[in-house]
Amino acid sequence: MLRTLCRGGGAVFKSADLAAPRLWGALVQVQQRGASRLPMNTMVLFVPQQEAWVVERMGRFHRILEPGLNFLIPVLDRIRYVQSLKEIVIDVPEQSAVSLDNVTLQIDGVLYLRILEPFKASYGVEDPEYAVTQLAQTTMRSELGKLTLDKVFRERESLNSNIVLSINQASDEWGIRCLRYEIKDIQVSARVKESMQMQVEAERKKRATVLESEGTREAAINVAEGRKQAQILASEGGRAEQINIAAGEAQGVLAKAEAKAKAIRLLSGALGEQRGGAAASLSVAEQYVAAFSNLARRSNTVLLPSHSSDVTGMVTKAMTIYSSLAKTRTPAEDGTAAEGAGGQRRA
């Protein structure tokens, strides 16, 4: 038995050497997705990287050949399927779909998938690529029916994610993983395009009107705020001015009162000294004469006492009044005055 197999293997190797160009061409076709020809059943096989060769023994699944050197029994083993483990790109044909607002769309896309389990991809579905393509088309129509036309253009990323999620839920049984789905182009009818253009123009006019009204409102608010601030500042300035004037007048009154009080104290001290009465008489006479000199300066009508020329009598009468007032002061008042004077002197 072993001798027969060795002889058969030698014959196979000789035939392989003679048909090397033909075998290389078959291997090149296997690398292309959808190739109909399979590798020849030889005893020694070299599996390329990123490929999985499904082997059946006597019509039943036996194993999956890993990349590199592999040995088979030519009569019993047979390579039934060749699956590429690379990322596969499939163009989804253009198809029509109806959105939620009853707008017909022409949409196509690109599907990116990868075979994760060669056994399921070989025995779970007849044509995995065709099955995934049809699933992508039906899922895309279903997802587009849930969105309006405006949301289809705005939410393309979420739409792609939903399509990928739906495809993966169904393709797990086939051993295929959908990596991503991209919508290439979305086309609408000419009438819908005109409506969309009119909508865009109306939206732009609306935004321009709103911006203009907001500008006018902000300008009016700024003017009103400026007037308000000006009035507030003017009132604060007037109040500060009045406060300053009142403070100045109060300080002036206090200064005059203090000066008058000081003059009275000095006068009272001078009257108590020797010859103080004569000095007071002289001062009264001077004031009398100065008053008479100013009588006719401000008005033409002048009221004069009957004895206006008697300066001596006027001075004598004033001093008599002062003497009588000095005599009527009580001792208690004199004591209080003396204590006040003593306190002022001590201060």
Side-chain angles (χ1 to χ4, degrees):
M1 178 81 181
L2 182 59
R3 186 179 300 176
T4 305
L5 290 176
C6 292
R7 291 178 181 176
V12 169
F13 277 119
K14 290 181 181 180
S15 61
D17 292 337
L18 295 176
R22 185 175 58 184
L23 179 59
W24 177 255
L27 290 176
V28 171
Q29 290 183 358
V30 168
Q31 292 180 358
Q32 298 178 357
R33 189 62 189 169
S36 57
R37 300 186 61 179
L38 297 176
M40 296 179 60
N41 275 349
T42 59
M43 181 179 293
V44 180
L45 293 177
F46 299 96
V47 180
Q49 186 68 33
Q50 289 298 100
E51 283 193 6
W53 292 4
V54 180
V55 178
E56 293 181 354
R57 176 166 290 181
M58 293 183 293
R60 185 178 178 180
F61 172 75
H62 176 57
R63 65 190 178 101
I64 298 176
L65 301 182
E66 298 294 334
L69 178 63
N70 292 272
F71 297 94
L72 294 180
I73 300 176
V75 179
L76 302 180
D77 295 338
R78 178 188 176 190
I79 300 175
R80 186 68 177 85
Y81 298 101
V82 175
Q83 302 293 350
S84 176
L85 303 181
K86 300 178 183 179
E87 186 173 347
I88 303 172
V89 182
I90 301 176
D91 286 331
V92 180
E94 183 179 354
Q95 61 178 337
S96 62
V98 181
S99 62
L100 185 61
D101 49 355
N102 296 325
V103 177
T104 303
L105 306 174
Q106 299 292 330
I107 186 168
D108 57 355
V110 181
L111 184 63
Y112 299 85
L113 55 89
R114 177 177 292 171
I115 296 177
L116 300 181
E117 300 182 20
F119 176 80
K120 290 184 178 181
S122 300
Y123 297 99
V125 63
E126 182 66 27
D127 190 345
E129 295 182 5
Y130 178 76
V132 173
T133 303
Q134 296 300 314
L135 182 60
Q137 290 181 341
T138 55
T139 304
M140 183 167 54
R141 283 195 295 265
S142 176
E143 292 295 331
L144 287 176
K146 300 177 183 179
L147 301 175
T148 60
L149 180 61
D150 295 335
K151 290 186 177 181
V152 169
F153 290 101
R154 290 198 303 264
E155 300 181 3
R156 295 181 67 170
E157 294 295 331
S158 61
L159 181 61
N160 294 336
S161 300
N162 294 335
I163 293 175
V164 171
L165 181 62
S166 300
I167 293 175
N168 287 331
Q169 290 177 355
S171 62
D172 287 339
E173 298 296 330
W174 304 336
I176 298 175
R177 183 71 177 177
C178 180
L179 302 178
R180 57 190 177 277
Y181 180 86
E182 299 292 339
I183 296 176
K184 290 197 302 183
D185 191 14
I186 300 176
Q187 297 181 359
V188 295
S189 61
R191 184 173 298 179
V192 175
K193 287 183 180 179
E194 293 178 0
S195 301
M196 292 174 62
Q197 187 66 28
M198 294 174 61
Q199 181 181 0
V200 171
E201 293 178 358
E203 187 68 24
R204 290 177 179 173
K205 291 180 180 179
K206 174 184 175 182
R207 284 186 291 179
T209 304
V210 170
L211 291 176
E212 184 178 359
S213 63
E214 289 180 354
T216 304
R217 184 186 65 179
E218 291 181 0
I221 291 174
N222 291 335
V223 172
E225 287 290 339
R227 292 177 179 175
K228 177 182 175 182
Q229 294 294 331
Q231 292 178 357
I232 292 174
L233 294 176
S235 63
E236 290 180 353
R239 183 181 65 179
E241 182 180 3
Q242 292 178 1
I243 292 173
N244 292 332
I245 293 174
E249 292 178 353
Q251 291 179 359
V253 171
L254 290 176
K256 289 179 180 179
E258 290 177 356
K260 189 173 182 180
K262 187 175 181 181
I264 292 172
R265 286 194 298 270
L266 293 175
L267 180 61
S268 63
L271 290 175
E273 295 178 356
Q274 189 178 6
R275 307 291 294 176
S281 300
L282 178 60
S283 176
V284 171
E286 290 177 352
Q287 292 179 5
Y288 184 80
V289 173
F292 269 96
S293 65
N294 293 327
L295 285 176
R297 289 184 180 182
R298 296 182 180 179
S299 175
N300 294 329
T301 303
V302 180
L303 297 177
L304 298 175
S306 60
H307 52 280
S308 60
S309 61
D310 189 3
V311 179
T312 305
M314 182 63 68
V315 173
T316 303
K317 186 179 291 187
M319 295 304 296
T320 302
I321 294 171
Y322 172 76
S323 298
S324 62
L325 290 174
K327 291 178 180 180
T328 58
R329 294 178 64 184
T330 61
E333 293 176 353
D334 292 340
T336 305
E339 291 178 359
Q344 290 177 358
R345 287 169 185 167
R346 287 193 298 273

